[in-house]
Amino acid sequence: MPSFETLNAILPANVRGDRQITFIEGENEQRTMSFRRLRQRATGALGALQRRGMKPGDTLILFIADNERFVETFWACMLGGIVAVPLAPGAADEHWRKLLRVFAQLEGSLVCIDSPTLARFDTFVTTHRLAAEGERLHSRTLIVGSLDITGEPGVPVQPAASDLAFIQYSSGSTGDPKGVMLTHRNLTTNIASIIEGAGYTDRDSVISWMPLSHDMGLIGFHLTLLAAGVSHAIMRTELFARRPLLWLDLASQRRCTVLCSPNFGFQHYLRQYAHRPPEGLDLSSIRLIFNGAEPISAEVCRRFMRTMAPHGLKANSMFAVYGLAEATLAVAFAPRGLPMETVVVDPTRLRIGETVRQEALQGGRVTELLKVGPPLPGIGLRIVDEHGTTLGDRVLGLVLMRGDNVTTGYYQDPVRSAELIGADGWLSTGDLGFIWDGQLVIAGRAKDLVIINGQNHYPHDLERIAGEVADIEANRVAAAGVRGPVANTEELAFFVVHRGDIADFLPKVIELRRKILQQTGLEVAHVVPVRQIPKTSSGKLQRYALAEAFELGEFDAARAEIERLLAQRNVAETRTGTPTAQRLQQICAGFIIDRPLTPQTNLLEIDLNSLTLARIHEAIEREFPQRVQVTDLFDYPTLEQLAEFLDTTAA
C-alpha cells in the first residue's frame, strides 16, 4: 500500500472514483457514495464549517446517528484541520450525561447534532433540571442537515503528522470522561499495520455494523478500508440489533470477503438463527471474520463456525485480534488462515509472576483463552510484574506495549496520562496476559479481577458458569467484586437482567448460588436484579459501573426484599424439631439463605464451602459457648443430630 503521513492523504483530490461506500439503513434502504463523491461532499461541508468561523485546532463534537452525515462531517473536519470528537448518540440518560461532560471538558467546542436528537436532549435537561447546561450546549450547536454544503467549497489545510486528528472518548467513560488523543501519525501508523496484518487488497469487499463512534467501527472498518482502496458497506448498528440475520444475508448478496463482530454479536446472531435459519445463504467468499473489542469465547467461535459451515463458511476464517483505544486500535492479530489456537488454564491458579500451566480441557474447572497472535509490525510488547520487571514466556503479568500508534495521552488530563504511559514510553494496557509460543494471550482486565479470600477469580469465567442457569442468558449477567456497608473484604456479586417481580427472581438466585458454589467453591454474597447491564458501544460489560452503583446503595431495596423473601421461605421450614434444632436452623439460615433448612438438613451435603462452615461454627459457638468443636459438625452433620448432641451435653 502507499505510505500516508496524514489522514488527509487517504482522501486526496484525485481519490478513486471506482471505489464506494454503501450506507445500509434498512433491507431496502441503501445509499451509495463513491470515494470521490465523499471528498466533494466533505469539502462542501468544510466550507459551511469555515463560514461558521471554525478554524484548524477547533474541536467539533459529532453526535450524529446518520452514518452518511457522520462520515461527510468527519472528513470535513480532517480536511480543515478541525479536531473531530465522535460520541455515541442514544436515547439513554447516560448518553446525554456523557455529552454534557465531554462538552464541559472541551470548553468552547461546537456540537453537531440532528434536530430529533436535539429535541430529545431538551426533554432530558428539562426532566433533570439541567436548563443552564442545556442552554450552554444549545448556544454552541450546529444542526446537521441544515449546513449549507452547496455554497463555496471549503479550503483544505495540510496538517503535520504530529497534529491532533481526533479525540476518541473511551466508550465506557463515566464520571470524568477520558479522551484519547490521536495524532495523524498514530492513525496512519496503525492503519498501515492493520492493512498488512489483514492482507487487504482492493479486491476485498467488507460489511460492518460497528458504530462509527467506536474505534473499531471508525478506524478499523472505515479509515483503514479507504486507505486500502476497499469498497465497504456500513450497516446501522440499531438495524443489526433488530435484525441480526440481515447482516449475513447482505454479506452473502454482496460477496463480502471480510466481516467483523465482537463476541456478543455472534451470540446475538445465533439466537435469531435458531428460530429462523435463513435459506440460500452463501458465505464461501468470506476469508476473514475479525473478532475483537471484548473477551473472545472459544466455545462461541466454534459454535458459530459449526453453524455456518453448511453455508460455505471456511473453517479457519475466524480471526482473533486484540487492541485498545489508547493504542489507536490494533495491537496483535492471530495468524491468518490458520485454526484458532487456545490455552486451557485453571483460572484459580493464575497469579501474576507465576508460570501458566496447560490443563486438560475436560479436567475440572478450566477455561479456554485464545491466542491473539504476535504484535503487529512496529509494536513492542512486554509482560511485567507489579514492579515492572519483565517476565518470561508463559508467565502471567501486566501487558505493556509501545509504538508510534500509542496515544500521547488523555485530553486535559496529565495525571491520568502519566499513569497510562511511563517515562520510557511504555503504555499500560490494564490487561493481564502472557506470551505462549510467540503469541499474546489475554487473561482478563486487571481491574475486573474478583479477589475472594486472597484468590483471584476472573469474571468472564464466573459468568460462563452463571449462563448455565435456566433463564439467565449470556451477556445478561455480570460478576463483580463489591464491598457492602459492613463488609471488610471483597464479596462476590452477580447482576442479572430481570424485569419481573422480585418473587419470580428467587429461583434464579437459588440456582445461581448453588451452581457457582458447586463448580467453584465460592459463596455468592449477592444476586441483584437489574433492568440492564451497562455496556460500551462495542458490547463490553461495564462491571465497574455496577460495582460502583452497588456500593452507593442503589440496589439496597431490591437486596433487602430478596433476603426477606428467602428468610421467609426458610422460616416456613423451621416450625418442626426441638427448640434447640429450631435455634440451629435460625442460626444457619443467616448463612444459607438460598435453600430451605429442616432438622434433617446435612450441612456436609449441601455444597457449603469451608469458610461458610467455619462461620456457622463461630455463630453456634457464640450461642452455645464452649460446647461445640468444629469437628463436632462432622460427627453430627444434621441439625437434628447436632441439636440432640447439644441437649445431651447440657443435661
Side-chain angles (χ1 to χ4, degrees):
M1 61 162 285
S3 177
F4 300 112
E5 291 191 357
T6 68
L7 286 186
N8 298 39
I10 292 173
L11 199 67
N14 62 346
V15 64
R16 293 176 64 162
D18 63 337
R19 304 285 98 175
Q20 61 188 24
I21 309 167
T22 302
F23 300 96
I24 301 172
E25 302 295 310
E27 183 175 9
N28 300 310
E29 187 181 352
Q30 302 180 17
R31 299 188 298 274
T32 298
M33 182 192 303
S34 70
F35 290 3
R36 184 169 298 165
R37 179 59 178 157
L38 171 58
R39 164 81 187 203
Q40 295 167 353
R41 292 266 295 269
T43 306
L46 174 60
L49 295 178
Q50 289 175 335
R51 285 190 290 276
R52 288 295 300 263
M54 297 204 74
K55 58 188 183 299
D58 290 346
T59 57
L60 179 62
I61 296 173
L62 305 182
F63 203 75
I64 306 171
D66 183 286
N67 286 329
E68 186 175 357
R69 293 291 191 185
F70 177 96
V71 165
E72 70 178 29
T73 310
F74 174 86
W75 277 105
C77 291
M78 295 304 101
L79 295 178
I82 298 164
V83 179
V85 185
L87 288 184
D93 285 1
E94 63 189 81
H95 292 102
W96 306 126
R97 294 187 189 281
K98 182 173 179 179
L99 172 61
L100 287 173
R101 291 189 188 105
V102 171
F103 177 69
Q105 191 181 82
L106 291 173
E107 296 178 350
S109 176
L110 291 178
V111 181
C112 196
I113 193 171
D114 61 64
S115 295
T117 303
L118 187 60
R120 292 194 295 272
F121 171 77
D122 291 341
T123 301
F124 166 78
V125 296
T126 300
T127 302
H128 295 274
R129 299 179 181 178
L130 298 169
E133 291 87 341
E135 288 176 10
R136 280 195 291 272
L137 189 140
H138 256 279
S139 68
R140 304 290 295 169
T141 292
L142 302 177
I143 304 298
V144 65
S146 66
L147 294 173
D148 180 16
I149 65 173
T150 61
E152 190 69 22
V155 180
V157 302
Q158 182 54 49
S162 59
D163 285 351
L164 188 59
F166 66 89
I167 302 173
Q168 180 74 46
Y169 275 87
S170 56
S171 49
S173 295
T174 59
D176 295 329
K178 295 187 297 184
V180 178
M181 297 186 292
L182 297 177
T183 66
H184 286 271
R185 179 178 291 111
N186 292 151
L187 288 152
T188 55
T189 297
N190 206 221
I191 285 169
S193 296
I194 294 170
I195 291 173
E196 181 177 344
Y200 277 123
T201 73
D202 61 5
R203 295 185 299 276
D204 280 308
S205 174
V206 181
I207 186 170
S208 166
W209 54 264
M210 296 294 290
L212 291 172
S213 56
H214 184 268
D215 51 3
M216 191 171 178
L218 177 57
I219 302 169
F221 290 90
H222 174 57
L223 301 184
T224 296
L225 301 178
L226 270 174
V230 175
S231 291
H232 53 287
I234 303 172
M235 180 179 180
R236 187 185 281 267
T237 305
E238 293 80 1
L239 179 59
F240 171 77
R242 293 195 315 270
R243 298 190 55 195
L245 298 184
L246 185 59
W247 172 44
L248 294 190
D249 283 344
L250 292 169
S252 174
Q253 295 169 22
R254 299 175 62 83
R255 306 300 297 154
C256 288
T257 59
V258 178
L259 307 175
C260 67
S261 176
N263 198 69
F264 81 92
F266 298 112
Q267 293 174 305
H268 184 46
Y269 183 91
L270 289 172
R271 279 196 295 269
Q272 294 299 313
Y273 181 97
H275 294 302
R276 188 167 55 87
E279 297 180 359
L281 204 59
D282 182 1
L283 305 179
S284 59
S285 61
I286 295 170
R287 65 180 185 87
L288 288 180
I289 306 177
F290 279 79
N291 187 342
E294 68 168 357
I296 303 171
S297 165
E299 188 278 328
V300 169
C301 291
R302 283 192 292 265
R303 185 153 53 92
F304 182 82
M305 300 305 290
R306 284 196 306 268
T307 305
M308 296 297 108
H311 301 288
L313 187 62
K314 298 179 181 68
N316 298 333
S317 56
M318 188 62 72
F319 191 44
V321 298
Y322 167 72
L324 62 157
E326 289 81 356
T328 299
L329 176 60
V331 174
F333 283 3
R336 297 194 311 271
L338 296 180
M340 291 188 310
E341 293 186 74
T342 65
V343 179
V344 181
V345 301
D346 179 346
T348 65
R349 294 181 176 178
L350 292 178
R351 301 282 187 282
I352 292 178
E354 295 188 10
T355 300
V356 178
R357 297 195 311 180
Q358 175 84 277
E359 305 285 346
L361 186 56
Q362 306 301 325
R365 183 192 168 199
V366 296
T367 189
E368 276 188 286
L369 302 176
L370 262 81
K371 298 178 183 178
V372 293
L376 290 170
I379 294 177
L381 204 62
R382 288 172 61 204
I383 308 296
V384 303
D385 63 15
E386 298 97 327
H387 308 293
T389 303
T390 300
L391 302 172
D393 286 359
R394 303 192 180 190
V395 178
L396 183 75
L398 301 163
V399 180
L400 306 185
M401 57 84 55
R402 71 176 176 185
D404 285 343
N405 59 313
V406 171
T407 176
T408 55
Y410 296 121
Y411 184 78
Q412 290 191 342
D413 199 336
V415 174
R416 277 182 178 165
S417 298
E419 293 172 352
L420 175 73
I421 306 171
D424 54 2
W426 286 94
L427 177 146
S428 175
T429 66
D431 288 316
L432 295 170
F434 52 92
I435 302 297
W436 192 287
D437 295 342
Q439 296 196 53
L440 176 64
V441 181
I442 299 297
R445 295 288 292 170
K447 70 178 182 180
D448 279 344
L449 273 180
V450 180
I451 305 174
I452 305 292
N453 304 325
Q455 301 290 314
N456 294 344
H457 302 275
Y458 292 81
H460 54 269
D461 185 53
L462 299 172
E463 289 155 5
R464 174 185 58 78
I465 298 170
E468 298 174 9
V469 175
D471 298 325
I472 295 183
E473 296 184 34
N475 224 44
R476 291 176 178 268
V477 58
V482 299
R483 289 179 182 267
V486 296
N488 55 15
T489 59
E490 196 165 70
E491 298 176 324
L492 176 58
F494 278 86
F495 301 87
V496 181
V497 172
H498 179 80
R499 298 190 175 95
D501 295 335
I502 293 291
D504 297 332
F505 188 62
L506 290 190
K508 294 180 185 178
V509 174
I510 294 167
E511 180 60 15
L512 176 57
R513 282 176 163 159
R514 188 195 68 78
K515 184 77 73 172
I516 295 295
L517 185 61
Q518 183 183 62
Q519 295 196 30
T520 71
L522 287 175
E523 182 180 348
V524 179
H526 311 281
V527 183
V528 183
V530 294
R531 298 285 297 175
Q532 62 181 8
I533 301 289
K535 301 173 185 175
T536 68
S537 59
S538 65
K540 292 180 182 176
L541 304 184
Q542 294 179 300
R543 301 178 182 92
Y544 67 89
L546 290 166
E548 288 175 1
F550 179 95
E551 291 168 9
L552 290 171
E554 293 184 19
F555 305 118
D556 284 356
R559 287 172 50 218
E561 178 63 8
I562 289 169
E563 289 177 9
R564 185 188 70 80
L565 291 171
L566 287 170
Q568 188 179 70
R569 182 175 179 271
N570 280 343
V571 167
E573 301 290 337
T574 64
R575 303 303 185 191
T576 60
T578 66
T580 303
Q582 290 186 28
R583 183 62 190 128
L584 288 174
Q585 286 175 258
Q586 291 169 353
I587 292 171
C588 292
F591 299 94
I592 311 168
I593 64 173
D594 58 348
R595 70 204 78 185
L597 299 173
T598 70
Q600 291 74 40
T601 297
N602 188 318
L603 297 180
L604 304 183
E605 294 180 352
I606 58 174
D607 294 322
L608 297 182
N609 62 25
S610 57
L611 181 61
T612 301
L613 206 58
R615 288 173 174 171
I616 289 174
H617 171 256
E618 290 173 4
I620 295 174
E621 172 67 16
R622 286 193 297 269
E623 184 79 12
F624 303 95
Q626 299 182 351
R627 292 172 58 187
V628 178
Q629 301 295 321
V630 70
T631 54
D632 292 331
L633 298 182
F634 294 89
D635 294 333
Y636 308 101
T638 72
L639 301 183
E640 185 176 55
Q641 291 169 338
L642 186 59
E644 183 179 355
F645 167 73
L646 286 168
D647 290 339
T648 301
T649 55

